[in-house]
Amino acid sequence: MNLDEARERFIQSWGALGSNWGINRTMAQIHALLLVSPEALSAEEVMEGLDISRGNANMNLRALIDWGLARKVHKSGERKEFFIAEKDIWRVAMQVIIERRKREIAPVLQMLSEVKSVGGSSDDPQVQAFIQSVDDLDTIVGQADSFLELLVKADQNWFANTLLKLFTKEKLNN
Amino acid sequence: MNLDEARERFIQSWGALGSNWGINRTMAQIHALLLVSPEALSAEEVMEGLDISRGNANMNLRALIDWGLARKVHKSGERKEFFIAEKDIWRVAMQVIIERRKREIAPVLQMLSEVKSVGGSSDDPQVQAFIQSVDDLDTIVGQADSFLELLVKADQNWFANTLLKLFTKEKLNN
DNA sequence: TAAAACTTTCAATTAGTTCTGAAATATTCA
DNA sequence: TGAATATTTCAGAACTAATTGAAAGTTTTA
């Protein structure tokens, strides 16, 4: 496999992954293209590299910047703006994804606490069963929420060192 | 709020959550409906309960079974098949993680290892830089994958007690 | 075995999302 | 300032995913 083929394959795959995680395909592809480009690229170059329209390139570059996954750089003597990917993608990408997930969970926790009020102290077994299910969900969704919250605060080194080592130890002990 | 309203609200919300987590809305709604139904439901009942077509119900019930989130049950004296959801919500969460790992993370790791082979031992700085980027990603994605694998092997109590408590302590210490 | 009961499939439709490209706006240069 | 260059916007087009419903397939019963 030569460099161009490898880049192409990488960009395609990364795009597919992104689209499964709530990042649109083109946005993820632009991100991939910037990641594997040693130099900052102009909007023009992104358009050509991925064969997309000016509007599309512009919109998704802006979205990437919004998300903190890319930024504009200025090349002296150049009039155009250039773009590079944030290389520390753990910090940024994970942050973004985790925060998104948290935002999605919040309304569910709200809903769960609301529906628990159903029927008050009814002893209808249907109601009992429903409340039981909802309680279980509430527990686990709550745990997921706390966990995500902690991940948001964790940084890459903390994750790599503390967490992974801990897991290894735990696993060996059991 | 009465039981039917609560169920309805629950089904809607769960459907919305699912669609953000790689499970399509209808699939998640069917799962929710089965979760809050004390009895197993027939395809017919699912269709009526969610007001969806026969084909849609069938396809998504099959998908749920595929994902290990529901199963068919047989009622004696009945000719129809009935469906019941996995009620242990921890297992549901783990099952979703298992499937998504298989479907999404595995191919990405595969791709990363393939594209790393680019140019063999070339000392072209372009190639070097590309390999560097890919290596970084490989590390991160690999760590995330290992983490998920361990999580899947862990049980809920372990997670709730050890992991969450540990995180809390870590956070306070830093 | 045949008709009834039930399940699955799939082509066509509908709904939802993303992309294009040309026009409008903004910025830079001389 | 005004011509050239660069960026942004957005309505409609193109594309993708989800859904329908009718027909084909399968299993059961009598």
Side-chain angles (χ1 to χ4, degrees):
Chain A
M1 199 185 306
N2 69 31
L3 185 58
D4 287 345
E5 286 164 353
R7 279 193 175 134
E8 177 62 19
R9 177 127 164 63
F10 173 72
I11 289 166
Q12 291 311 320
S13 269
W14 204 242
L17 182 70
S19 65
N20 286 320
W21 288 85
I23 292 165
N24 93 35
R25 202 175 44 90
T26 305
M27 188 170 154
Q29 286 183 346
I30 295 177
H31 184 239
L33 177 65
L34 295 178
L35 265 183
V36 297
S37 298
E39 294 290 311
L41 302 181
S42 66
E44 207 76 30
E45 288 166 318
V46 170
M47 288 165 57
E48 281 163 19
L50 299 176
D51 199 20
I52 59 175
S53 73
R54 183 170 301 285
N56 197 7
N58 182 270
M59 286 206 314
N60 285 294
L61 280 167
R62 250 186 320 104
L64 281 172
I65 291 169
D66 260 11
W67 282 48
L69 297 175
R71 58 197 158 77
K72 290 181 178 177
V73 294
H74 223 70
K75 282 192 182 176
S76 53
E78 284 279 8
R79 204 155 142 184
K80 294 196 246 298
E81 284 172 321
F82 291 78
F83 301 88
I84 63 175
E86 202 56 64
K87 296 279 174 184
D88 184 358
I89 72 138
W90 172 263
R91 186 162 283 136
V92 285
M94 290 301 119
Q95 199 89 356
V96 166
I97 289 169
I98 291 165
E99 266 161 17
R100 259 204 168 189
R101 300 289 102 132
K102 260 188 73 74
R103 264 184 272 133
E104 291 156 6
I105 284 180
V108 171
L109 286 170
Q110 171 65 29
M111 172 280 284
L112 290 171
S113 84
E114 278 174 41
V115 302
K116 267 200 271 193
S117 77
V118 64
S121 55
S122 165
D123 55 1
D124 175 352
Q126 291 245 31
V127 171
Q128 295 298 323
F130 179 79
I131 288 177
Q132 180 61 53
S133 296
V134 169
D135 268 342
D136 291 350
L137 285 171
D138 199 33
T139 302
I140 193 133
V141 175
Q143 280 179 3
D145 188 57
S146 311
F147 181 61
L148 289 174
E149 176 65 20
L150 288 162
L151 279 188
V152 167
K153 292 178 177 157
D155 69 29
Q156 180 177 6
N157 282 333
W158 180 82
F159 183 81
N161 297 329
T162 312
L163 184 54
L164 277 183
K165 269 179 202 157
L166 176 85
F167 281 150
T168 311
K169 203 174 94 228
E170 277 288 329
K171 202 176 58 169
L172 293 175
N173 287 346
N174 291 334
Chain B
M1 199 186 301
N2 69 31
L3 187 56
D4 287 346
E5 286 165 354
R7 279 193 173 136
E8 177 61 20
R9 180 125 165 62
F10 173 72
I11 289 168
Q12 293 311 320
S13 227
W14 203 243
L17 182 69
S19 66
N20 288 319
W21 289 77
I23 289 168
N24 92 31
R25 200 175 46 88
T26 305
M27 189 171 153
Q29 286 183 348
I30 295 177
H31 181 247
L33 177 63
L34 295 178
L35 259 189
V36 296
S37 299
E39 294 290 312
L41 301 182
S42 65
E44 207 76 30
E45 289 166 318
V46 170
M47 289 165 58
E48 281 163 18
L50 300 175
D51 199 18
I52 59 176
S53 73
R54 183 170 299 286
N56 198 7
N58 183 268
M59 290 215 307
N60 283 296
L61 280 166
R62 259 190 309 109
L64 278 173
I65 290 169
D66 222 38
W67 279 66
L69 300 178
R71 58 194 161 73
K72 292 181 178 177
V73 294
H74 231 72
K75 282 193 183 175
S76 53
E78 283 280 9
R79 206 153 141 184
K80 295 198 245 300
E81 285 171 321
F82 290 80
F83 300 88
I84 188 167
E86 169 62 66
K87 303 247 173 175
D88 179 342
I89 198 63
W90 174 262
R91 298 233 339 247
V92 169
M94 292 307 114
Q95 204 59 45
V96 170
I97 290 172
I98 289 168
E99 286 297 320
R100 295 199 69 180
R101 258 184 93 221
K102 199 162 75 191
R103 292 168 197 223
E104 292 160 29
I105 297 182
V108 168
L109 286 171
Q110 170 66 25
M111 174 279 287
L112 289 172
S113 84
E114 278 174 42
V115 303
K116 266 200 275 191
S117 77
V118 63
S121 56
S122 164
D123 55 1
D124 174 353
Q126 291 245 31
V127 171
Q128 295 298 322
F130 178 80
I131 288 177
Q132 180 62 53
S133 296
V134 170
D135 266 342
D136 290 348
L137 285 173
D138 197 34
T139 303
I140 289 160
V141 176
Q143 278 178 6
D145 187 56
S146 310
F147 170 67
L148 291 174
E149 193 189 352
L150 289 162
L151 185 57
V152 165
K153 288 178 180 159
D155 71 32
Q156 182 171 10
N157 274 337
W158 181 83
F159 182 77
N161 296 327
T162 312
L163 184 53
L164 273 184
K165 270 180 200 156
L166 179 86
F167 282 154
T168 311
K169 202 177 91 222
E170 275 290 330
K171 201 180 62 173
L172 294 175
N173 288 345
N174 290 336

